[in-house]
């Protein structure tokens, strides 16, 4: 077995683990945004992180407050993460993540679908064995706002519906807060 666990193999496995942890942070951030789970959004950032979202910027708590306040104006939200390119540089990583966000907006009694597509340009840092965002810049590639004139006839009142709170059907499965609490310590951490 020791022939298989060469230093090169161990380093490559650690690289895969680091990249997967970064991806899980991104996925949890998207869920936290869509389900208005402040703890998931907060835990994606280091305490002293900075985020320039374009339409707002600030530290971690400002980001959490801004995203949570938007739950009142956008009753439905869904972030899709696409290409994730991760460049590991020791305890830092440059990460570019493509996204498309869809939200339902109500204005003057009319319903609209807002679509925003862009990229998160993130500087991740590993501190105390945990990867989190240290600095984020959002780059917009395109956006649009379309009035909803009809919905699909197959989506009826009998279908499970998304919400931005704990009454969302996914909470019957899990709140997914455990994704940041590994069951085994990282190699840099003591058991």
């Amino acid at each position: 077995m020791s022939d298989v666990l060469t230093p090169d193999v161990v380093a490559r496995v650690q690289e895969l683990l680091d990249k997967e942890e970064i991806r899980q942070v991104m996925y949890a951030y998207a869920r936290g945004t869509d389900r208005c789970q402040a703890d998931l959004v907060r835990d994606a950032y280091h305490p002293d992180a900075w985020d320039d979202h374009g339409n707002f910027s600030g530290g971690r708590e400002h980001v959490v407050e801004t995203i949570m306040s938007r739950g009142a104006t956008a009753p439905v939200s869904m972030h899709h993460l696409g290409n994730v390119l991760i460049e590991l540089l020791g305890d830092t990583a440059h990460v570019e993540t493509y996204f498309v966000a869809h939200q339902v907006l109500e204005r003057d009694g009319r319903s609209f679908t807002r679509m925003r597509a862009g990229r998160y340009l993130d500087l991740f840092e590993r501190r105390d064995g945990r990867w989190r965002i240290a600095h984020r810049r959002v780059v917009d590639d395109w956006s649009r706002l379309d009035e909803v004139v009809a919905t699909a006839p197959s989506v009826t009142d009998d279908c499970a519906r998304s919400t931005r709170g704990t009454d969302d059907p996914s909470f019957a499965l899990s709140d997914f807060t455990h994704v940041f609490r590994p069951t085994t310590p990282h190699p840099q951490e003591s058991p």
Side-chain angles (χ1 to χ4, degrees):
M1 185 69 165
S2 63
D3 293 341
V4 175
L5 295 177
T6 65
D8 181 55
V9 169
V10 170
R12 292 179 70 194
V13 168
Q14 185 60 53
E15 178 181 344
L16 292 172
L17 292 171
D18 290 340
K19 288 181 176 184
E20 182 57 21
E21 183 177 343
I22 289 168
R23 277 189 289 274
Q24 289 296 315
V25 168
M26 295 302 299
Y27 299 149
Y29 166 83
R31 179 187 168 80
T33 298
D34 293 336
R35 302 285 74 81
C36 286
Q37 286 180 268
D39 288 347
L40 285 182
V41 175
R42 183 178 290 109
D43 207 30
Y45 294 88
H46 285 296
D48 61 344
W50 184 260
D51 185 316
D52 178 358
H53 241 73
N55 53 357
F56 69 89
S57 62
R60 177 174 80 171
E61 291 309 312
H62 180 69
V63 171
V64 171
E65 290 169 13
T66 302
I67 290 171
M68 295 307 109
S69 71
R70 294 195 172 162
T73 58
V76 177
S77 177
M78 183 176 285
H79 283 67
H80 298 273
L81 302 183
N83 305 345
V84 181
L85 194 58
I86 302 169
E87 178 182 43
L88 292 174
L89 303 164
D91 286 335
T92 63
H94 300 150
V95 182
E96 179 184 56
T97 306
Y98 285 58
F99 72 86
V100 176
H102 297 83
Q103 294 169 326
V104 173
L105 302 177
E106 303 292 333
R107 290 188 179 168
D108 301 322
R110 297 178 0 217
S111 185
F112 294 86
T113 301
R114 173 187 180 256
M115 290 188 288
R116 181 181 186 188
R119 290 164 287 137
Y120 299 116
L121 303 180
D122 294 323
L123 172 64
F124 270 73
E125 292 179 358
R126 178 175 36 209
R127 300 180 192 169
D128 299 322
R130 298 178 74 203
W131 287 101
R132 297 293 177 268
I133 300 164
H135 187 273
R136 165 170 283 175
R137 183 172 187 203
V138 176
V139 175
D140 283 291
D141 290 323
W142 58 268
S143 66
R144 59 186 292 155
L145 186 65
D146 298 310
E147 186 171 3
V148 177
V149 295
T151 58
S154 61
V155 180
T156 68
D157 289 339
D158 295 330
C159 296
R161 294 296 179 116
S162 172
T163 72
R164 294 193 79 180
T166 56
D167 57 339
D168 184 82
S170 65
F171 282 87
L173 176 65
S174 175
D175 66 3
F176 293 96
T177 56
H178 68 278
V179 296
F180 292 131
R181 290 162 189 67
T183 56
T184 57
H186 287 93
Q188 304 87 330
E189 299 173 347
S190 58

mmCIF file of all heavy atoms in Angstrom, residues 70-97:
data_model
loop_
_atom_site.group_PDB
_atom_site.id
_atom_site.type_symbol
_atom_site.label_atom_id
_atom_site.label_comp_id
_atom_site.label_asym_id
_atom_site.label_seq_id
_atom_site.Cartn_x
_atom_site.Cartn_y
_atom_site.Cartn_z
ATOM 1 N N ARG A 70 -33.308 40.953 0.537
ATOM 2 C CA ARG A 70 -33.876 40.775 -0.805
ATOM 3 C C ARG A 70 -34.901 39.653 -0.864
ATOM 4 O O ARG A 70 -35.642 39.538 -1.830
ATOM 5 C CB ARG A 70 -32.763 40.547 -1.811
ATOM 6 C CG ARG A 70 -31.919 41.809 -1.927
ATOM 7 C CD ARG A 70 -31.060 41.807 -3.107
ATOM 8 N NE ARG A 70 -30.442 43.128 -3.223
ATOM 9 C CZ ARG A 70 -29.403 43.377 -3.935
ATOM 10 N NH1 ARG A 70 -28.850 42.398 -4.625
ATOM 11 N NH2 ARG A 70 -28.899 44.587 -4.002
ATOM 12 N N GLY A 71 -34.968 38.847 0.177
ATOM 13 C CA GLY A 71 -35.985 37.802 0.222
ATOM 14 C C GLY A 71 -37.394 38.369 0.213
ATOM 15 O O GLY A 71 -38.325 37.735 -0.269
ATOM 16 N N ALA A 72 -37.548 39.597 0.709
ATOM 17 C CA ALA A 72 -38.874 40.223 0.738
ATOM 18 C C ALA A 72 -39.305 40.709 -0.635
ATOM 19 O O ALA A 72 -40.484 40.725 -0.954
ATOM 20 C CB ALA A 72 -38.865 41.389 1.725
ATOM 21 N N THR A 73 -38.347 41.109 -1.468
ATOM 22 C CA THR A 73 -38.698 41.645 -2.790
ATOM 23 C C THR A 73 -38.623 40.602 -3.893
ATOM 24 O O THR A 73 -39.154 40.814 -4.974
ATOM 25 C CB THR A 73 -37.774 42.824 -3.157
ATOM 26 O OG1 THR A 73 -36.411 42.370 -3.138
ATOM 27 C CG2 THR A 73 -37.946 43.981 -2.180
ATOM 28 N N ALA A 74 -37.964 39.511 -3.627
ATOM 29 C CA ALA A 74 -37.855 38.420 -4.607
ATOM 30 C C ALA A 74 -38.258 37.131 -3.900
ATOM 31 O O ALA A 74 -37.423 36.463 -3.292
ATOM 32 C CB ALA A 74 -36.435 38.322 -5.157
ATOM 33 N N PRO A 75 -39.544 36.765 -3.946
ATOM 34 C CA PRO A 75 -40.011 35.609 -3.186
ATOM 35 C C PRO A 75 -39.459 34.264 -3.666
ATOM 36 O O PRO A 75 -39.551 33.278 -2.943
ATOM 37 C CB PRO A 75 -41.529 35.662 -3.350
ATOM 38 C CG PRO A 75 -41.762 36.468 -4.578
ATOM 39 C CD PRO A 75 -40.622 37.427 -4.680
ATOM 40 N N VAL A 76 -38.906 34.222 -4.857
ATOM 41 C CA VAL A 76 -38.311 32.991 -5.388
ATOM 42 C C VAL A 76 -36.955 33.345 -5.981
ATOM 43 O O VAL A 76 -36.815 34.356 -6.679
ATOM 44 C CB VAL A 76 -39.208 32.344 -6.474
ATOM 45 C CG1 VAL A 76 -38.546 31.117 -7.065
ATOM 46 C CG2 VAL A 76 -40.582 32.003 -5.910
ATOM 47 N N SER A 77 -35.951 32.521 -5.702
ATOM 48 C CA SER A 77 -34.602 32.764 -6.215
ATOM 49 C C SER A 77 -33.917 31.431 -6.465
ATOM 50 O O SER A 77 -34.081 30.490 -5.694
ATOM 51 C CB SER A 77 -33.796 33.576 -5.188
ATOM 52 O OG SER A 77 -32.469 33.780 -5.623
ATOM 53 N N MET A 78 -33.168 31.356 -7.560
ATOM 54 C CA MET A 78 -32.425 30.138 -7.871
ATOM 55 C C MET A 78 -31.117 30.516 -8.560
ATOM 56 O O MET A 78 -31.124 31.138 -9.617
ATOM 57 C CB MET A 78 -33.242 29.205 -8.763
ATOM 58 C CG MET A 78 -32.533 27.897 -9.061
ATOM 59 S SD MET A 78 -33.549 26.765 -10.008
ATOM 60 C CE MET A 78 -34.668 26.224 -8.733
ATOM 61 N N HIS A 79 -30.018 30.148 -7.931
ATOM 62 C CA HIS A 79 -28.687 30.365 -8.501
ATOM 63 C C HIS A 79 -28.170 29.052 -9.087
ATOM 64 O O HIS A 79 -28.168 28.032 -8.411
ATOM 65 C CB HIS A 79 -27.711 30.855 -7.433
ATOM 66 C CG HIS A 79 -27.871 32.280 -7.079
ATOM 67 N ND1 HIS A 79 -28.981 32.774 -6.431
ATOM 68 C CD2 HIS A 79 -27.060 33.344 -7.302
ATOM 69 C CE1 HIS A 79 -28.846 34.081 -6.249
ATOM 70 N NE2 HIS A 79 -27.695 34.451 -6.773
ATOM 71 N N HIS A 80 -27.744 29.111 -10.331
ATOM 72 C CA HIS A 80 -27.119 27.959 -10.981
ATOM 73 C C HIS A 80 -25.636 28.276 -11.129
ATOM 74 O O HIS A 80 -25.273 29.310 -11.706
ATOM 75 C CB HIS A 80 -27.708 27.727 -12.377
ATOM 76 C CG HIS A 80 -29.166 27.424 -12.355
ATOM 77 N ND1 HIS A 80 -29.652 26.153 -12.200
ATOM 78 C CD2 HIS A 80 -30.243 28.232 -12.466
ATOM 79 C CE1 HIS A 80 -30.964 26.186 -12.215
ATOM 80 N NE2 HIS A 80 -31.353 27.433 -12.367
ATOM 81 N N LEU A 81 -24.784 27.408 -10.604
ATOM 82 C CA LEU A 81 -23.344 27.586 -10.745
ATOM 83 C C LEU A 81 -22.856 26.688 -11.866
ATOM 84 O O LEU A 81 -23.248 25.522 -11.956
ATOM 85 C CB LEU A 81 -22.636 27.249 -9.428
ATOM 86 C CG LEU A 81 -23.086 28.074 -8.226
ATOM 87 C CD1 LEU A 81 -22.270 27.692 -7.004
ATOM 88 C CD2 LEU A 81 -22.992 29.563 -8.494
ATOM 89 N N GLY A 82 -22.028 27.255 -12.715
ATOM 90 C CA GLY A 82 -21.521 26.512 -13.864
ATOM 91 C C GLY A 82 -20.045 26.208 -13.732
ATOM 92 O O GLY A 82 -19.600 25.593 -12.759
ATOM 93 N N ASN A 83 -19.278 26.673 -14.698
ATOM 94 C CA ASN A 83 -17.842 26.422 -14.715
ATOM 95 C C ASN A 83 -17.204 26.959 -13.443
ATOM 96 O O ASN A 83 -17.449 28.103 -13.057
ATOM 97 C CB ASN A 83 -17.195 27.125 -15.907
ATOM 98 C CG ASN A 83 -17.837 26.750 -17.212
ATOM 99 O OD1 ASN A 83 -18.580 25.781 -17.301
ATOM 100 N ND2 ASN A 83 -17.577 27.542 -18.241
ATOM 101 N N VAL A 84 -16.402 26.139 -12.798
ATOM 102 C CA VAL A 84 -15.646 26.567 -11.624
ATOM 103 C C VAL A 84 -14.185 26.253 -11.911
ATOM 104 O O VAL A 84 -13.802 25.090 -12.012
ATOM 105 C CB VAL A 84 -16.103 25.839 -10.339
ATOM 106 C CG1 VAL A 84 -15.303 26.344 -9.136
ATOM 107 C CG2 VAL A 84 -17.591 26.018 -10.105
ATOM 108 N N LEU A 85 -13.400 27.299 -12.079
ATOM 109 C CA LEU A 85 -11.975 27.143 -12.351
ATOM 110 C C LEU A 85 -11.224 27.547 -11.094
ATOM 111 O O LEU A 85 -11.411 28.664 -10.588
ATOM 112 C CB LEU A 85 -11.577 28.013 -13.537
ATOM 113 C CG LEU A 85 -10.224 27.739 -14.169
ATOM 114 C CD1 LEU A 85 -10.139 26.292 -14.662
ATOM 115 C CD2 LEU A 85 -9.989 28.694 -15.327
ATOM 116 N N ILE A 86 -10.407 26.635 -10.568
ATOM 117 C CA ILE A 86 -9.737 26.839 -9.289
ATOM 118 C C ILE A 86 -8.234 26.718 -9.492
ATOM 119 O O ILE A 86 -7.742 25.677 -9.947
ATOM 120 C CB ILE A 86 -10.209 25.808 -8.244
ATOM 121 C CG1 ILE A 86 -11.726 25.897 -8.044
ATOM 122 C CG2 ILE A 86 -9.456 26.003 -6.923
ATOM 123 C CD1 ILE A 86 -12.314 24.754 -7.248
ATOM 124 N N GLU A 87 -7.526 27.779 -9.142
ATOM 125 C CA GLU A 87 -6.063 27.788 -9.201
ATOM 126 C C GLU A 87 -5.549 27.828 -7.763
ATOM 127 O O GLU A 87 -5.660 28.851 -7.089
ATOM 128 C CB GLU A 87 -5.587 29.018 -9.976
ATOM 129 C CG GLU A 87 -4.098 29.153 -10.070
ATOM 130 C CD GLU A 87 -3.691 30.413 -10.808
ATOM 131 O OE1 GLU A 87 -4.292 31.483 -10.556
ATOM 132 O OE2 GLU A 87 -2.755 30.327 -11.625
ATOM 133 N N LEU A 88 -5.030 26.687 -7.292
ATOM 134 C CA LEU A 88 -4.505 26.607 -5.928
ATOM 135 C C LEU A 88 -3.088 27.139 -5.877
ATOM 136 O O LEU A 88 -2.250 26.784 -6.707
ATOM 137 C CB LEU A 88 -4.524 25.160 -5.442
ATOM 138 C CG LEU A 88 -5.899 24.532 -5.213
ATOM 139 C CD1 LEU A 88 -5.751 23.048 -4.884
ATOM 140 C CD2 LEU A 88 -6.653 25.255 -4.115
ATOM 141 N N LEU A 89 -2.843 27.990 -4.888
ATOM 142 C CA LEU A 89 -1.518 28.586 -4.689
ATOM 143 C C LEU A 89 -1.187 28.503 -3.201
ATOM 144 O O LEU A 89 -1.229 29.506 -2.485
ATOM 145 C CB LEU A 89 -1.496 30.041 -5.163
ATOM 146 C CG LEU A 89 -1.895 30.259 -6.624
ATOM 147 C CD1 LEU A 89 -2.223 31.715 -6.889
ATOM 148 C CD2 LEU A 89 -0.791 29.770 -7.540
ATOM 149 N N GLY A 90 -0.917 27.290 -2.724
ATOM 150 C CA GLY A 90 -0.666 27.110 -1.295
ATOM 151 C C GLY A 90 -1.951 27.296 -0.517
ATOM 152 O O GLY A 90 -2.927 26.585 -0.742
ATOM 153 N N ASP A 91 -1.962 28.276 0.398
ATOM 154 C CA ASP A 91 -3.137 28.538 1.224
ATOM 155 C C ASP A 91 -4.038 29.613 0.637
ATOM 156 O O ASP A 91 -4.909 30.144 1.329
ATOM 157 C CB ASP A 91 -2.712 28.928 2.641
ATOM 158 C CG ASP A 91 -2.209 27.737 3.432
ATOM 159 O OD1 ASP A 91 -2.612 26.598 3.114
ATOM 160 O OD2 ASP A 91 -1.410 27.932 4.373
ATOM 161 N N THR A 92 -3.836 29.956 -0.623
ATOM 162 C CA THR A 92 -4.746 30.850 -1.331
ATOM 163 C C THR A 92 -5.179 30.161 -2.620
ATOM 164 O O THR A 92 -4.530 29.236 -3.103
ATOM 165 C CB THR A 92 -4.109 32.215 -1.666
ATOM 166 O OG1 THR A 92 -3.010 32.003 -2.565
ATOM 167 C CG2 THR A 92 -3.631 32.940 -0.422
ATOM 168 N N ALA A 93 -6.282 30.633 -3.154
ATOM 169 C CA ALA A 93 -6.778 30.078 -4.418
ATOM 170 C C ALA A 93 -7.502 31.179 -5.173
ATOM 171 O O ALA A 93 -8.247 31.969 -4.579
ATOM 172 C CB ALA A 93 -7.718 28.908 -4.166
ATOM 173 N N HIS A 94 -7.262 31.246 -6.459
ATOM 174 C CA HIS A 94 -8.020 32.116 -7.355
ATOM 175 C C HIS A 94 -9.140 31.259 -7.937
ATOM 176 O O HIS A 94 -8.879 30.183 -8.475
ATOM 177 C CB HIS A 94 -7.139 32.660 -8.485
ATOM 178 C CG HIS A 94 -5.984 33.452 -7.975
ATOM 179 N ND1 HIS A 94 -4.791 33.525 -8.640
ATOM 180 C CD2 HIS A 94 -5.828 34.220 -6.863
ATOM 181 C CE1 HIS A 94 -3.952 34.299 -7.977
ATOM 182 N NE2 HIS A 94 -4.566 34.727 -6.889
ATOM 183 N N VAL A 95 -10.381 31.749 -7.821
ATOM 184 C CA VAL A 95 -11.531 30.945 -8.229
ATOM 185 C C VAL A 95 -12.453 31.799 -9.082
ATOM 186 O O VAL A 95 -12.885 32.881 -8.665
ATOM 187 C CB VAL A 95 -12.300 30.411 -6.995
ATOM 188 C CG1 VAL A 95 -13.474 29.539 -7.434
ATOM 189 C CG2 VAL A 95 -11.365 29.644 -6.068
ATOM 190 N N GLU A 96 -12.759 31.315 -10.282
ATOM 191 C CA GLU A 96 -13.738 31.955 -11.156
ATOM 192 C C GLU A 96 -14.907 30.994 -11.311
ATOM 193 O O GLU A 96 -14.738 29.863 -11.761
ATOM 194 C CB GLU A 96 -13.138 32.257 -12.532
ATOM 195 C CG GLU A 96 -14.140 32.902 -13.476
ATOM 196 C CD GLU A 96 -13.571 33.107 -14.867
ATOM 197 O OE1 GLU A 96 -13.111 32.103 -15.478
ATOM 198 O OE2 GLU A 96 -13.582 34.252 -15.338
ATOM 199 N N THR A 97 -16.102 31.463 -10.916
ATOM 200 C CA THR A 97 -17.301 30.629 -10.968
ATOM 201 C C THR A 97 -18.361 31.332 -11.797
ATOM 202 O O THR A 97 -18.757 32.457 -11.475
ATOM 203 C CB THR A 97 -17.855 30.371 -9.554
ATOM 204 O OG1 THR A 97 -16.814 29.830 -8.733
ATOM 205 C CG2 THR A 97 -19.033 29.412 -9.603
#
